[in-house]
Amino acid sequence: MELREAIRTNGTVRAFTDDPVERSTVLDVLDDARYAPSGGNRQPWRVAIVEDTTLRRSLADLMQPVWDEYLETSGSGSAPFNAIDYLAPVRVSPGKPNALLDAIETVPVVLAIAADLRSVALMDGELDRPPITGGASIYPFCWSLLLSARAHGLGGVMTTFLSRAEPAAAPLLGLPDHCALVATIFLGVPEHRPTKLKRNPVESFVTIDRFDAPGS
Ligand SMILES: Cc1cc2nc3c(=O)[nH]c(=O)nc-3n(C[C@H](O)[C@H](O)[C@H](O)COP(=O)(O)O)c2cc1C
């Protein structure tokens, strides 16, 4: 597939057929993803291919309350979990349906992605706001992984809700202290592949010279 077409049509897939995905295919995908860029080429990614269904269930049980909170607050005006004006809800009703979590045992591939923080330059780590640049050394890897999955006839979704439960998830996954959980990626053969993606037009986010200048 032509590169531009792949970039523009790699939609999120959350429902998979029963087709199994061999571990060797997953390793092939990771073999592509490792060519992603990272600060200083330090390649901080660590990946646990989560195959054990009991472990998967435990992880889903940790993600569920985060999903519940997300749904409780989406539509409230501010983006859920944002660091500027998010207000956690007083009460969250539990157990909202989530196809991925409800049937995590049968999702063809579950990947826990971690970053070795000893290899991540946090260039904005001392500013008076939450740091974000560290992610730049790990999320290109995740995106390359999803693009490679597409090339292998797979689809998937990157999620971050397990990060909110990292302290509880860490011992289950044997996550070292110097690592952060950055994503859980689900992959499989798509039941349906969305390729018409809704994105804001360029003029909605581009200005010339200054961010507070009029639009381009
Ligand atoms: C950082 C990040 C976190 C995400 N977390 C979730 C998630 O927790 N659950 C989920 O179903 N999708 C998750 N997604 C997928 C987004 O919902 C998806 O990329 C977005 O809605 C655009 O969908 P589309 O590519 O199909 O147009 C996440 C995506 C990113 C990049």
Side-chain angles (χ1 to χ4, degrees):
M1 175 184 278
E2 201 250 324
L3 179 60
R4 289 187 67 208
E5 191 195 341
I7 290 171
R8 294 171 74 111
T9 63
N10 202 30
T12 301
V13 175
R14 298 184 180 87
F16 309 105
T17 67
D18 294 336
D19 294 307
V21 179
E22 297 300 325
R23 191 193 286 175
S24 60
T25 305
V26 178
L27 293 173
D28 244 27
V29 166
L30 295 171
D31 194 37
D32 288 341
R34 72 192 169 94
Y35 287 93
S38 58
N41 197 21
R42 291 208 167 78
Q43 304 167 51
W45 37 83
R46 302 290 179 269
V47 179
I49 305 173
V50 184
E51 294 181 340
D52 183 282
T53 51
T54 310
L55 174 57
R56 284 183 178 198
R57 173 48 44 206
S58 303
L59 297 178
D61 289 347
L62 292 176
M63 291 187 260
Q64 182 68 47
V66 185
W67 174 243
D68 293 335
E69 183 177 342
Y70 174 85
L71 280 194
E72 196 84 46
T73 53
S74 59
S76 71
S78 61
F81 308 123
N82 88 77
I84 305 300
D85 62 1
Y86 174 65
L87 285 177
V90 182
R91 277 216 336 266
V92 176
S93 35
K96 299 185 175 78
N98 180 300
L100 285 170
L101 301 183
D102 296 346
I104 196 168
E105 293 88 348
T106 60
V107 173
V109 180
V110 178
L111 302 175
I113 315 285
D116 185 333
L117 296 176
R118 298 171 304 182
S119 304
V120 172
L122 207 54
M123 306 307 283
D124 54 352
E126 285 161 32
L127 300 185
D128 189 20
R129 61 156 176 76
I132 188 165
T133 54
S137 280
I138 189 75
Y139 291 116
F141 171 86
C142 296
W143 181 234
S144 290
L145 193 164
L146 287 166
L147 284 171
S148 172
R150 172 87 176 276
H152 284 80
L154 305 175
V157 55
M158 165 162 52
T159 70
T160 49
F161 32 25
L162 193 58
S163 300
R164 202 159 166 85
E166 182 181 289
L172 302 179
L173 288 164
L175 185 78
D177 283 347
H178 56 266
C179 288
L181 272 180
V182 298
T184 310
I185 295 183
F186 301 82
L187 300 175
V189 175
E191 253 181 21
H192 162 73
R193 190 185 286 286
T195 53
K196 263 188 143 1
L197 312 186
K198 265 176 62 184
R199 298 292 187 270
N200 297 328
V202 170
E203 59 270 23
S204 71
F205 59 85
V206 177
T207 51
I208 305 298
D209 291 332
R210 293 176 55 96
F211 293 105
D212 59 359
S216 59

